[in-house]
């Protein structure tokens, strides 16, 4: 059973688990298990540049940089503050590195992680097999990978997942506050409203949202991850640190506030959740707003918005869910239908 917290060891409460696949070695049909020399170059730490020039010895300088360390360092910054406030609690961000490389690559991965001051204690090296089958065993709240096929497989298994993309330019982000931005429909919420738009157009969508304003939307694939973030935020709120909380969340949606925004906010309220900021763009491009927000990661189901975020320098992640995607429902929704497979 997945939830905002997971159990790592008997009697030990742990926080949300993020499972990661390093880029460049995660597509099994096209990229066989890599020899140690093929481990990709990590992305530089926050505030630094020139990943290729700082490649570790023996790592090809042409290897594409990964955006993941930027996210990981922000998670560790939150963990550091949680440890100060709750020294006896293990309810922290828990990160698992998953790769289809063989175990012999482990030493090199450890050296790379230590070089860039990343804190990852748990590895899953599957020796050529897909790591997807291990995600539930790790109680994964979020799976990030550069492999779209594996991400779709995780979504199909009912696990929050996204394909992560490197930004096209550098964008300085906070080193003390984790900022996570979410699209609404087909990310936090189901694709119910997008189905109306696709089938009947915007006018019918506006009528539908007005008629169903007080009916909460069904949950989308990343609702559980927002819930996990909210649970950690409340640990800071209980210490009187709401304004100084090192986690900040954003709803960045193409919905219009006047015509369809109320249902989105009421849905979050019905779940007992909230975002720190809600931006209703009424169809305007999201990139310029994301450049102002400077999130560590932005989730959207539309590649148009992912590419716009990339152009502005934001780390963007595509969520392959909804009417426009191959996988329209996560596994937990399918289980509600008796005849579904």
């Amino acid at each position: 059973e997945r939830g905002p917290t997971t159990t790592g060891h008997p009697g030990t409460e742990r926080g949300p688990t993020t499972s990661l696949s390093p880029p460049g070695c995660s597509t099994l049909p096209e990229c066989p298990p890599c020899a140690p020399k093929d481990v990709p170059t990590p992305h530089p730490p926050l505030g630094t540049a020139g990943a290729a020039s700082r490649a570790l010895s023996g790592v090809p300088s042409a290897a594409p940089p990964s955006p993941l360390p930027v996210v990981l360092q922000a998670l560790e910054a939150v963990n550091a503050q949680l440890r100060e406030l709750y020294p006896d609690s293990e309810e922290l961000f828990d990160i698992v590195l998953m790769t289809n490389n063989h175990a012999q690559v482990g030493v090199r991965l450890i050296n790379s992680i230590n070089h860039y001051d990343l804190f990852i204690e748990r590895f899953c090296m599957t020796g050529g097999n897909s790591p997807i089958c291990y995600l539930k065993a790790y109680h994964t709240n979020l799976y990030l990978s550069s492999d779209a096929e594996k991400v779709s497989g995780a979504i199909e298994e009912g696990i929050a997942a996204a394909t992560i993309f490197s930004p096209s330019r550098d964008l300085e982000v906070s080193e003390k506050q984790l900022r996570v931005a979410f699209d609404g429909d087909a990310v936090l919420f189901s694709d119910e409203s997008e189905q109306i738009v696709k089938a009947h157009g915007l006018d019918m969508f506006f009528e539908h949202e007005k008629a169903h304003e007080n009916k909460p939307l069904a949950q989308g694939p990343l609702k559980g991850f927002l819930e996990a973030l909210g649970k950690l935020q409340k640990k800071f709120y209980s210490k009187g640190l709401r304004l100084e909380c090192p986690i900040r969340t954003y709803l960045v949606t193409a919905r219009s506030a006047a015509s369809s925004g109320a249902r989105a906010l009421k849905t979050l309220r019905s779940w007992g959740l909230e975002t720190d900021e809600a931006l209703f763009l009424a169809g305007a491009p999201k990139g310029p707003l994301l450049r102002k927000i400077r999130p560590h990661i932005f989730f959207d189901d539309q590649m148009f918005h992912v590419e716009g975020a990339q152009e502005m320098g934001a780390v963007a992640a595509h969520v392959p869910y909804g009417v426009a995607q191959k996988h329209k429902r996560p596994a937990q929704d399918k289980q509600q239908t008796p005849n579904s497979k």
Side-chain angles (χ1 to χ4, degrees):
E1 181 179 0
R2 290 170 55 244
T5 60
T6 62
T7 302
H9 303 284
T12 301
E13 188 177 23
R14 304 185 70 92
T17 299
T18 302
S19 296
L20 311 165
S21 285
C25 300
S26 54
T27 306
L28 188 57
E30 299 178 2
C31 179
C34 299
K37 66 178 182 180
D38 292 324
V39 178
T41 305
H43 195 70
L46 291 170
T48 65
S53 64
R54 298 187 58 183
L56 299 180
S57 174
V59 180
S61 60
S66 167
L68 288 175
V70 172
V71 181
L72 299 186
Q73 290 179 359
L75 298 181
E76 179 54 29
V78 175
N79 280 351
Q81 295 189 53
L82 284 169
R83 292 187 187 102
E84 290 182 7
L85 293 173
Y86 300 93
D88 297 326
S89 173
E90 291 196 26
E91 195 173 359
L92 309 164
F93 284 111
D94 189 16
I95 300 163
V96 181
L97 180 65
M98 312 192 80
T99 174
N100 59 9
N101 281 302
H102 289 283
Q104 63 185 10
V105 183
V107 173
R108 187 168 185 80
L109 288 175
I110 291 170
N111 289 339
S112 297
I113 287 168
N114 290 338
H115 179 83
Y116 287 99
D117 295 324
L118 301 176
F119 190 78
I120 303 177
E121 292 186 301
R122 299 204 285 172
F123 285 15
C124 178
M125 291 171 280
T126 63
N129 294 323
S130 172
I132 298 302
C133 61
Y134 294 94
L135 292 176
K136 288 187 177 179
Y138 279 105
H139 303 280
T140 301
N141 295 89
L142 176 66
Y143 174 66
L144 296 175
S145 175
S146 62
D147 186 332
E149 184 177 349
K150 286 186 173 61
V151 167
S152 293
I155 289 279
E156 196 171 51
E157 291 297 317
I159 296 168
T163 309
I164 194 165
F165 293 87
S166 296
S168 302
R169 64 174 73 177
D170 291 333
L171 181 67
E172 185 177 351
V173 293
S174 173
E175 296 186 17
K176 296 182 179 180
Q177 184 181 64
L178 171 67
R179 299 176 184 176
V180 184
F182 299 89
D183 180 30
D185 295 292
V187 175
L188 291 179
F189 315 128
S190 73
D191 66 333
E192 169 195 328
S193 297
E194 288 195 351
Q195 290 186 49
I196 300 296
V197 174
K198 294 286 185 182
H200 305 289
L202 280 174
D203 289 341
M204 182 62 72
F205 163 73
F206 293 140
E207 293 180 13
H208 178 270
E209 292 304 290
K210 186 68 174 178
H212 296 81
E213 179 179 315
N214 295 314
K215 179 183 178 181
L217 290 154
Q219 72 178 52
L222 264 66
K223 181 254 188 179
F225 183 56
L226 176 63
E227 188 175 32
L229 292 176
K231 184 170 184 178
L232 291 183
Q233 283 180 308
K234 289 177 181 178
K235 293 176 74 71
F236 292 97
Y237 299 168
S238 65
K239 297 289 187 178
L241 298 174
R242 174 176 281 271
L243 296 180
E244 297 82 13
C245 181
I247 303 173
R248 192 165 185 85
T249 56
Y250 303 79
L251 172 64
V252 183
T253 174
R255 284 175 175 253
S256 165
S259 60
S260 56
R263 191 181 187 195
L265 295 178
K266 288 182 179 181
T267 295
L268 291 174
R269 185 187 304 165
S270 73
W271 293 342
L273 299 178
E274 62 180 356
T275 57
D276 294 292
E277 299 187 29
L279 305 174
F280 296 93
L281 304 185
K286 298 181 180 181
L289 267 297
L290 292 171
R291 186 165 180 81
K292 294 294 183 181
I293 293 172
R294 298 175 183 267
H296 291 88
I297 191 166
F298 164 63
F299 297 96
D300 203 290
D301 68 304
Q302 300 291 335
M303 280 303 301
F304 170 79
H305 293 302
V306 170
E307 291 165 357
Q310 283 183 279
E311 292 174 1
M312 293 295 173
V315 174
H318 177 245
V319 181
Y321 171 86
V323 66
Q325 315 294 333
K326 179 180 178 181
H327 300 283
K328 295 183 173 63
R329 291 288 187 275
Q332 65 263 35
D333 287 352
K334 291 181 180 180
Q335 292 173 0
Q336 297 175 3
T337 304
N339 296 325
S340 64
K341 296 181 179 180

